[in-house]
Amino acid sequence: MVHAMSRRSFLAMGGACAGAASLARGGNASLFYAQEPSLSEAIRLRATMRTLEINGKAASLMGLEQANGKQGLSLPAAQPFDVLLENKLAVPTAIHWHGLHPPNNEDGVPGLTQQPVPPNGSDRYYFPLKPAGTHWMHSHMGLQEAFLLSAPLIVHDPPDEPADEQQIVVFLGDFSFTSPTEIYAQLRKPKAMSMGGKMGGKPMMMSKPDVNDVDYDAYLANDRTLADPDVVRVEKNGKVRLRIINGSSGTNFFISLGDLKGEVIATDGMAVKPVSGSRFPLAIAQRIDLRVQLPREGAFPILALREGATEQAGIILASPGAAIRKLPVKNAAAAGLLTLDLESRLAASDPLVAKQIDQSFDLRLQGDMARYQWTINGIAFDTENPKGQTPQVRVKSGQRVALKFINETGMSHPMHLHGHSFQVIEINGKALNGALRDTVLVPGKTSVTVAFDANNPGAWYVHCHVLWHLAAGMATLVQYG
C-alpha cells in the first residue's frame, strides 16, 4: 500500500503540533501552497538499502538516493523544496531536513511532527527552500542514522558561487559492523562503563571517557575510508569551495588542510566573515564551507581527524597527472579536543537584527554514566513518546529567545535546534556577535548562549546530536503558543 500523506490530511488529524503548523501557512504562505505543482514534478528520493565495501568486507547499509543512484540532493535556492520520499526499506522511516526551515509538520520527527513513512509508502514534502547553503538530511527514526541513513542536502545560491570555483562536497561519517541496537544496549549496561575490560570479546565502548562513547570500525569520507579514498580531480592553481558535513552519529573531527591554507566562509550553511587557517573543528551535525586556493599542481589530502584519537578519514584533491600516495587510516599522534577558540572568533556576515531578548531559558546538560542516561535540567526525554513530553521552552511568535546551554558534564554536546537558525551570543559569560548556526558545540564544563527569532510556529526538537545521547534522553521541546 502506498502511503502519500499530504500536509492537508496531516492537518486534518488535529493536535497541537498540526495546529501550530497551520499558523505558519497564513498570508503569503497560503498562496504558496495553493500553487503546489502536480506530483509528477517532485524530485523522487528513495530510502533504500545499499552495499559498501568497508575494511575489505561487504556492509549492508541504508541510504538516501535519487533515481540515478546519487546520494543526497543538490538544489537551486530559487525553487521550492519539492521532494517525494519513497520508503523502499523493510521498516518505517522519517527524514529530517537538517538546516532547512520547513513548516512544523514536514520536519521529519516521528510521533511529533508527522507520522513515519511505512515500508513501500511515500510522503511528499513541499515548502519554501530556505536558507541556502550546506545542509544535510538524516533519519530521525530510532537509531537509523547509525545505519548511515543520511546524505548531503546542498542549496545553491548562485550570487555566492563564483563561476571559476569548483565545488566539492565532503560527507563525513562513522560506521560499525556491530549493529546500532547492540551498541546502544551495551552502552546502557553498567559493565560497559568500566575501563580496560572487554565487551563480548571486543574492546569496551567507553575506551576514552569524556571524549568518544563508541570506537567505530571505520571513519568515512564520501562513504570511503583512507584505504581507498575518494580522489577528486582539480585544476592546478584552481580555486575550490569545500562543503564539509559532519554526518557522523558519534564522532567530532578536526578538518586538516595539511600544507594548504583556507578561509572559513560559512558555518552550518550561513555566511561568516572569513577566518583563515589550516585546521578547523567540526562537531557532529555541523557544516563548514572552506574556500581554498590551490597554489600548484599536486595531490592535497583533506583530512578529518577523530577527536582525541588517531583515526582519520578524508579525500584527496589531485591535479591531472599528480602522483597519489597512500595514506594511513591512523595518524601517528592523537588529535586533541575540540574547543570554542574558532567559535569565539567567528562573526555572521548577516547577523540577527539588534533586538531585546524577550525570554531566556537555561538548559542544563547533565549525564549519569553509570546508567548511561543523558538529561536536560534533570529530565530524560522519551524519544518514543515525544508528544507526551513537557516542553521546557515555551515561546510566542515574534519573540527574540535566548537559550543558555550549561554543560555540567565532562563530555562535549553538539546541541541542535530544529526549524530555526540561531546566533551564538555568549561563550562562558563573554558576550559576542558570533556566527549563525543551527548546531553549536558545548564542550564539557562550559556554557554557550544562542539567540533566535521565534518565527516558525510549532513544536520543535532541541537535542544533543550525539545519537546515543539523544536516544538516552538529552532532548526537549521548544513549543509555540
Side-chain angles (χ1 to χ4, degrees):
M1 179 181 71
V2 174
H3 165 81
M5 185 176 68
S6 70
R7 284 155 305 288
R8 298 172 188 81
S9 61
F10 182 90
L11 291 171
M13 294 171 61
C17 297
S22 68
L23 294 176
R25 295 187 174 183
N28 293 334
S30 297
L31 179 61
F32 174 86
Y33 291 103
Q35 298 171 341
E36 182 174 313
S38 68
L39 185 62
S40 63
E41 298 183 39
I43 297 171
R44 279 167 165 73
L45 183 71
R46 298 181 299 187
T48 187
M49 297 301 297
R50 58 195 175 118
T51 301
L52 296 179
E53 183 177 303
I54 298 176
N55 296 344
K57 295 188 290 184
S60 183
L61 304 165
M62 297 176 177
L64 289 165
E65 63 182 29
Q66 298 180 55
N68 61 7
K70 184 177 181 180
Q71 290 286 306
L73 293 171
S74 182
L75 306 169
Q79 71 178 37
F81 186 83
D82 189 3
V83 171
L84 182 69
L85 175 65
E86 299 175 325
N87 185 8
K88 301 302 182 182
L89 302 170
V91 293
T93 194
I95 303 302
H96 169 54
W97 318 107
H98 189 124
L100 300 187
H101 299 171
N104 192 233
N105 63 327
E106 299 190 62
D107 188 49
V109 180
L112 178 68
T113 66
Q114 63 185 102
Q115 296 297 310
V117 182
N120 295 318
S122 64
D123 200 358
R124 188 182 188 179
Y125 299 80
Y126 184 78
F127 52 83
L129 186 51
K130 60 179 183 178
T134 303
H135 307 304
W136 65 303
M137 48 189 164
H138 60 83
S139 173
H140 242 303
M141 191 85 185
L143 301 176
Q144 289 179 355
E145 189 185 324
F147 284 101
L148 273 59
L149 191 54
S150 57
L153 201 176
I154 310 300
V155 182
H156 292 280
D157 186 10
D160 190 41
E161 301 174 9
D164 65 342
E165 183 176 84
Q166 182 178 353
Q167 299 203 30
I168 300 168
V169 177
V170 183
F171 192 82
L172 304 174
D174 43 25
F175 169 78
S176 176
F177 285 101
T178 304
S179 77
T181 304
E182 182 181 343
I183 290 174
Y184 185 62
Q186 293 294 340
L187 286 171
R188 296 283 279 183
K189 290 182 180 179
K191 66 179 182 180
M193 298 301 106
S194 61
M195 293 292 293
K198 295 285 182 180
M199 181 189 68
K202 299 177 181 180
M204 303 295 272
M205 290 295 178
M206 199 59 193
S207 63
K208 298 179 180 64
D210 298 342
V211 184
N212 298 300
D213 285 12
V214 177
D215 287 326
Y216 294 84
D217 291 316
Y219 300 88
L220 308 175
N222 296 346
D223 287 337
R224 302 168 80 156
T225 70
L226 277 178
D228 179 28
D230 187 13
V231 177
V232 181
R233 292 296 172 181
V234 295
E235 295 295 326
K236 65 177 182 179
N237 298 316
K239 184 166 60 175
V240 299
R241 178 179 186 149
L242 298 170
R243 296 180 178 267
I244 307 177
I245 303 162
N246 188 348
S248 63
S249 61
T251 307
N252 295 323
F253 292 103
F254 287 97
I255 304 303
S256 172
L257 302 182
D259 295 334
L260 301 176
K261 293 287 185 182
E263 289 184 330
V264 182
I265 58 173
T267 56
D268 294 357
M270 289 160 281
V272 295
K273 297 177 181 177
V275 176
S276 298
S278 58
R279 184 178 169 111
F280 307 91
L282 191 65
I284 298 164
Q286 289 185 335
R287 290 85 70 206
I288 189 170
D289 286 31
L290 300 175
R291 182 163 283 151
V292 180
Q293 176 67 53
L294 302 178
R296 62 191 185 281
E297 61 184 358
F300 310 98
I302 306 298
L303 299 178
L305 313 177
R306 183 189 179 204
E307 180 187 27
T310 59
E311 291 86 357
Q312 58 186 12
I315 68 168
I316 297 176
L317 308 181
S319 61
I324 299 172
R325 63 183 177 89
K326 189 172 180 62
L327 296 169
V329 296
K330 289 190 177 183
N331 203 353
L337 301 181
L338 269 65
T339 71
L340 296 177
D341 175 65
L342 176 62
E343 195 71 58
S344 67
R345 295 186 286 130
L346 292 173
S349 297
D350 186 18
L352 295 180
V353 175
K355 183 182 177 183
Q356 190 101 12
I357 299 292
D358 296 303
Q359 285 203 88
S360 184
F361 299 87
D362 286 356
L363 298 179
R364 297 183 177 275
L365 313 181
Q366 300 161 330
D368 182 339
M369 291 301 295
R371 294 184 297 161
Y372 201 78
Q373 186 175 74
W374 300 93
T375 64
I376 295 180
N377 292 338
I379 300 170
F381 192 91
D382 182 0
T383 57
E384 295 184 1
N385 181 31
K387 277 191 176 180
Q389 306 303 291
T390 301
Q392 295 194 40
V393 179
R394 293 186 178 272
V395 304
K396 295 180 180 179
S397 290
Q399 289 184 329
R400 172 69 56 83
V401 181
L403 303 178
K404 184 175 184 178
F405 298 109
I406 304 166
N407 189 354
E408 298 180 353
T409 79
M411 289 200 75
S412 292
H413 300 288
M415 300 304 296
H416 171 50
L417 172 63
H418 284 218
H420 303 75
S421 300
F422 54 65
Q423 187 170 9
V424 180
I425 62 169
E426 187 180 276
I427 295 177
N428 289 329
K430 183 178 179 180
L432 69 154
N433 195 25
L436 287 173
R437 289 192 172 279
D438 55 58
T439 307
V440 67
L441 182 69
V442 188
K445 307 299 182 182
T446 66
S447 68
V448 177
T449 305
V450 303
F452 70 94
D453 288 329
N455 55 14
N456 197 3
W460 301 96
Y461 245 166
V462 55
H463 65 88
C464 177
H465 226 288
V466 177
L467 180 63
W468 321 108
H469 295 180
L470 168 61
M474 189 170 276
T476 189
L477 297 178
V478 173
Q479 173 71 63
Y480 282 64

